[in-house]
Amino acid sequence: MNLKNLIKKNGIRMHFALSLSAILVVAVSSCQKDNGYRGRNRGQTTTPVTTTTPTTPTTPTTPVVPTGTITYKTSSPISLNGVSNMTISGLSITGGSVPCISLTNCKNIIITHCKLVNSTTTGVNLYNCANISVDTSYISNVSTGVYVSTSQGIKVIGNQMKNMVGPYPRGQFVQFNTVSGAGNSVTNNICENIMGSSYPEDAISMYMTNGTASSPVIINGNWIRGGGPSKTGGGINLGDDGGSYQIAENNILVNPGQYGMAVSGGTNMQLLNNKIYAAKNTFTNVGLTVWNQYTSISASSGVTVSGNQVNWTNSAGALNPDWNAGNCGVVAGWGRNTWNASITASILPATIITLN
């Protein structure tokens, strides 16, 4: 038995903190994983590659930075099972030892404009759910911001998340675990980890997750800053333990950890038009990597890496923007990236988190 899956699936069933009869506080509209991208000497220092011309970028989307004051209503943690057609809005929830919001066997639920903080487990926990949206919320000081298992039609949009505290195998802003089908996305979120106040792993992790040819999983327009000191975590990880039809594009990452962006396996994976920067730190390794870490399980193919701008300095002080392990077939677009790009930490504004 795979211990990492046992940890995850047991975790999502724990501590239901609020009965359905107590959910009147919710505004109702009528209607564990081992993150897979381990150190294992991957991305060993390579000879820097000369700059090439990036592909013409697709139209990027930019996170909307909210202004003004949001008024929340205090609520106890929420746990729902088998509920449909509901909006959870405007709540401030301190999780404590349970998820701030936990949904099991639910569908057609919107979580919006909420403040979800201070939980030793997750901010939002979804299991066996369909058509759930988490948007425009502030999530901070939790083990993982949004953790989704065995679900479909999940959208994480326009949230601000700060200081994921783990511990391993948690520590993601967003992790999809065995999510499948059409309509899954992580878009326009603003995410920041402050060293000393967080202990993250992968910022965004796609674990055993499958989109479709006509509706791939979309990870678009996210801002991510801060990672480490873990020597295993990093930025955006596609194809973790396999999966298919995932696209990460137009994301901006600054000092996200041990690596910047990765394809770790699976089929039909794309890294397009992203900006990735890291200064030297004790844990920095490689900016962008393609490496099937699960060759004993499945082959990896159909990978495209194009239009990315990468400037990455490893722990030895050497430029180390890219590494292709050569076990994912021909990687389309590899020559159309800008390695050692002329970008700095200023690709993100000085202040990105505006909610609290």
Side-chain angles (χ1 to χ4, degrees):
M1 177 176 290
N2 190 326
L3 179 59
K4 63 190 178 185
N5 288 337
L6 180 63
I7 292 171
K8 290 182 291 186
K9 292 179 180 178
N10 284 347
I12 57 179
R13 291 181 172 86
M14 63 183 176
H15 305 307
F16 290 152
L18 195 63
S19 66
L20 284 174
S21 62
I23 303 301
L24 296 178
V25 69
V26 179
V28 179
S29 67
S30 54
C31 58
Q32 263 143 329
K33 162 245 172 198
D34 174 356
N35 74 3
Y37 201 74
R38 300 298 111 222
R40 287 186 279 182
N41 198 32
R42 69 182 174 283
Q44 54 263 44
T45 302
T46 58
T47 302
V49 179
T50 56
T51 298
T52 59
T53 303
T55 56
T56 302
T58 57
T59 302
T61 57
T62 301
V64 175
V65 180
T67 59
T69 302
I70 296 177
T71 301
Y72 301 103
K73 181 175 181 179
T74 301
S75 169
S76 300
I78 293 171
S79 178
L80 303 176
N81 193 329
V83 175
S84 301
N85 305 317
M86 171 180 285
T87 295
I88 302 171
S89 179
L91 303 183
S92 176
I93 301 175
T94 298
S97 61
V98 301
C100 297
I101 297 176
S102 180
L103 306 182
T104 303
N105 304 317
C106 294
K107 62 182 180 180
N108 303 327
I109 291 182
I110 298 170
I111 300 169
T112 186
H113 290 94
C114 288
K115 179 178 180 178
L116 310 174
V117 297
N118 301 336
S119 171
T120 57
T121 177
T122 53
V124 176
N125 211 53
L126 307 179
Y127 175 70
N128 198 33
C129 292
N131 302 324
I132 309 295
S133 173
V134 182
D135 74 76
T136 327
S137 293
Y138 175 68
I139 306 174
S140 179
N141 195 35
V142 295
S143 67
T144 286
V146 180
Y147 179 71
V148 186
S149 178
T150 321
S151 298
Q152 57 186 333
I154 307 300
K155 294 179 172 59
V156 183
I157 309 169
N159 302 281
Q160 294 193 16
M161 305 189 209
K162 183 177 180 180
N163 290 340
M164 302 297 105
V165 297
Y168 171 87
R170 298 274 62 81
Q172 301 80 19
F173 291 115
V174 180
Q175 183 172 51
F176 285 2
N177 172 10
T178 326
V179 171
S180 62
N184 298 296
S185 62
V186 181
T187 56
N188 295 336
N189 299 282
I190 299 175
C191 307
E192 184 167 27
N193 285 307
I194 306 298
M195 186 71 71
S197 299
S198 60
Y199 202 95
E201 284 294 322
D202 297 335
I204 298 176
S205 168
M206 297 290 110
Y207 180 78
M208 296 182 67
T209 286
N210 295 275
T212 70
S214 60
S215 181
V217 180
I218 298 295
I219 304 168
N220 188 327
N222 300 284
W223 291 359
I224 298 170
R225 181 161 61 202
S230 167
K231 293 185 178 181
T232 57
I236 298 175
N237 193 7
L238 304 187
D240 195 358
D241 212 351
S244 63
Y245 296 108
Q246 300 170 16
I247 301 175
E249 59 184 342
N250 303 316
N251 301 284
I252 302 176
L253 298 87
V254 172
N255 297 319
Q258 190 263 152
Y259 71 95
M261 298 184 72
V263 173
S264 294
T267 59
N268 298 297
M269 303 292 174
Q270 299 184 59
L271 301 178
L272 306 174
N273 305 315
N274 302 284
K275 295 180 181 179
I276 308 166
Y277 172 83
K280 175 186 175 181
N281 212 315
T282 56
F283 47 79
T284 51
N285 183 5
V286 61
L288 185 153
T289 182
V290 175
W291 175 29
N292 183 7
Q293 300 182 56
Y294 306 96
T295 54
S296 63
I297 299 173
S298 62
S300 182
S301 62
V303 176
T304 300
V305 178
S306 181
N308 301 286
Q309 299 179 55
V310 186
N311 185 308
W312 193 276
T313 304
N314 68 13
S315 60
L319 292 172
N320 193 31
D322 65 293
W323 187 58
N324 180 357
N327 63 353
C328 295
V330 175
V331 178
W334 192 261
R336 295 192 296 274
N337 298 282
T338 305
W339 311 121
N340 305 326
S342 297
I343 58 175
T344 68
S346 65
I347 56 177
L348 286 179
T351 299
I352 59 174
I353 299 293
T354 59
L355 300 176
N356 55 44

